[in-house]
Amino acid sequence: MSDKRECLPEPGEAIIQVRGLQNRFAEHVVHEHLDLDVMQGEILGVVGGSGSGKSVLLRSIVGLVRPSGGEVVMLGERLDQLSERRRVLLERRCGVLFQQGALFSSLTVTQNVALPLREHLKLSPADAEHLAAVKLALVGLPAHAGGLSPSELSGGMIKRAALARALALDPDILFLDEPTAGLDPIGAAAFDQLLLTLRNAFGLTVFLVTHDLDTLYTTCDRIAVLSGKRVLVADTLSVVEQTDDKWIRDYFHGPRGRSAQLAKHSAREA
């Protein structure tokens, strides 16, 4: 890792601050006066009902959606006041895994992971692909996977390849949008354990959009629930579970929620 980590907040301090966020698309209001802090070194799970704006919030924080109002401060930088040069430098400190992986179908897996290394660090193709191979090994992909095209990968391998690309520039913050969607329970559980290993090994901060209750119970330090165009609650699972709200009761205390709780307790006792 580079010396950029010297500029990080202390654990437990905010690395991302969202204040008064508003997102409107024509007459449709997605977010209104939304506030949220993401703490250094935590895995924050973001949940909410369909249409609550989970992915829009992620995209607003990483700069892919320009908010209608409010402000986002990340790593001490207010996004709407950055020069182009400062924005590029900040983007290098963030890794993003999009839904479905979003790998380039015309490139091999290795070339996909090497692309940010070539674009941002101006590495030669050979050097970039050498580092890409290291990243692919880091996320548990076999060496031969690098020469495959995305269409030749299984769903779990696509997620890991996309994660390797997100990690290519050694980011401080990792943004994951539904990383276990579409995976079988074994593949999803393996991805959850990989995420924990990477966070603990590299001190990553993780912003995780998910609907997967097993992922929430296995990996997350805190949960932020989006409801009514803002953050209803952002706290530990035990606090969120007890929040007096119909959606939270249905989500965390329904059959799937009880199953996830039981699985977590069984894992602790094993």
Side-chain angles (χ1 to χ4, degrees), residues 130-211:
H130 173 73
L131 286 177
V134 173
K135 300 299 181 181
L136 291 169
L138 183 66
V139 300
L141 283 175
H144 78 271
L148 301 178
S149 67
S151 64
E152 297 176 290
L153 302 180
S154 67
M157 292 175 75
I158 287 174
K159 299 286 188 177
R160 288 174 182 257
L163 179 60
R165 186 176 64 182
L167 293 169
L169 297 173
D170 295 334
D172 295 310
I173 309 174
L174 193 58
F175 294 89
L176 308 178
D177 195 355
E178 299 284 5
T180 58
L183 299 184
D184 62 78
I186 295 175
F191 191 97
D192 291 341
Q193 291 303 316
L194 172 62
L195 178 59
L196 284 171
T197 298
L198 292 172
R199 189 279 297 270
N200 295 338
F202 300 116
L204 295 167
T205 300
V206 182
F207 183 100
L208 170 64
V209 172
T210 187
H211 68 277

Side-chain angles (χ1 to χ4, degrees), residues 22-261:
Q22 301 178 36
N23 275 306
R24 295 186 177 91
F25 302 96
E27 300 301 316
H28 179 54
V29 179
V30 179
H31 301 131
E32 188 76 29
H33 306 303
L34 184 151
D35 295 335
L36 179 65
D37 287 338
V38 182
M39 304 304 179
Q40 163 64 21
E42 76 171 344
I43 299 178
L44 175 72
V46 179
V47 300
S50 178
S52 59
K54 302 182 292 295
S55 294
V56 174
L57 175 58
L58 182 154
R59 290 171 178 266
S60 297
I61 294 174
V62 301
L64 296 175
V65 169
R66 187 178 182 86
S68 307
E71 64 181 54
V72 177
V73 177
M74 180 163 53
L75 291 161
E77 304 267 18
R78 181 166 164 171
L79 298 192
D80 61 349
Q81 296 180 348
L82 290 178
S83 66
E84 184 62 28
R85 177 179 174 277
R86 293 297 303 169
R87 179 176 292 278
V88 169
L89 291 174
L90 187 64
E91 288 174 351
R92 284 173 49 175
R93 300 178 68 178
C94 302
V96 186
L97 188 159
F98 296 102
Q99 290 187 40
Q100 313 305 323
L103 298 174
F104 294 105
S105 60
S106 61
L107 303 178
T108 67
V109 171
T110 294
Q111 289 169 341
N112 265 280
V113 179
L115 189 61
L117 294 163
R118 295 184 62 184
E119 288 187 345
H120 288 277
L121 303 184
K122 309 304 180 186
L123 297 183
S124 68
D127 287 343
E129 292 188 9
H130 173 73
L131 286 177
V134 173
K135 300 299 181 181
L136 291 169
L138 183 66
V139 300
L141 283 175
H144 78 271
L148 301 178
S149 67
S151 64
E152 297 176 290
L153 302 180
S154 67
M157 292 175 75
I158 287 174
K159 299 286 188 177
R160 288 174 182 257
L163 179 60
R165 186 176 64 182
L167 293 169
L169 297 173
D170 295 334
D172 295 310
I173 309 174
L174 193 58
F175 294 89
L176 308 178
D177 195 355
E178 299 284 5
T180 58
L183 299 184
D184 62 78
I186 295 175
F191 191 97
D192 291 341
Q193 291 303 316
L194 172 62
L195 178 59
L196 284 171
T197 298
L198 292 172
R199 189 279 297 270
N200 295 338
F202 300 116
L204 295 167
T205 300
V206 182
F207 183 100
L208 170 64
V209 172
T210 187
H211 68 277
D212 191 326
L213 279 157
D214 290 323
T215 295
L216 293 175
Y217 280 95
T218 300
T219 68
C220 293
D221 300 296
R222 291 192 307 138
I223 309 296
V225 178
L226 302 191
S227 179
K229 303 179 178 62
R230 61 192 66 185
V231 175
L232 175 65
V233 59
D235 214 313
T236 61
L237 258 171
S238 59
V239 172
V240 171
E241 287 174 337
Q242 300 307 313
T243 301
D244 186 14
D245 176 80
K246 183 180 184 305
W247 187 88
I248 288 178
R249 288 194 298 272
D250 291 344
Y251 187 69
F252 286 99
H253 300 287
R256 290 184 64 248
R258 290 194 295 272
S259 177
Q261 292 178 40

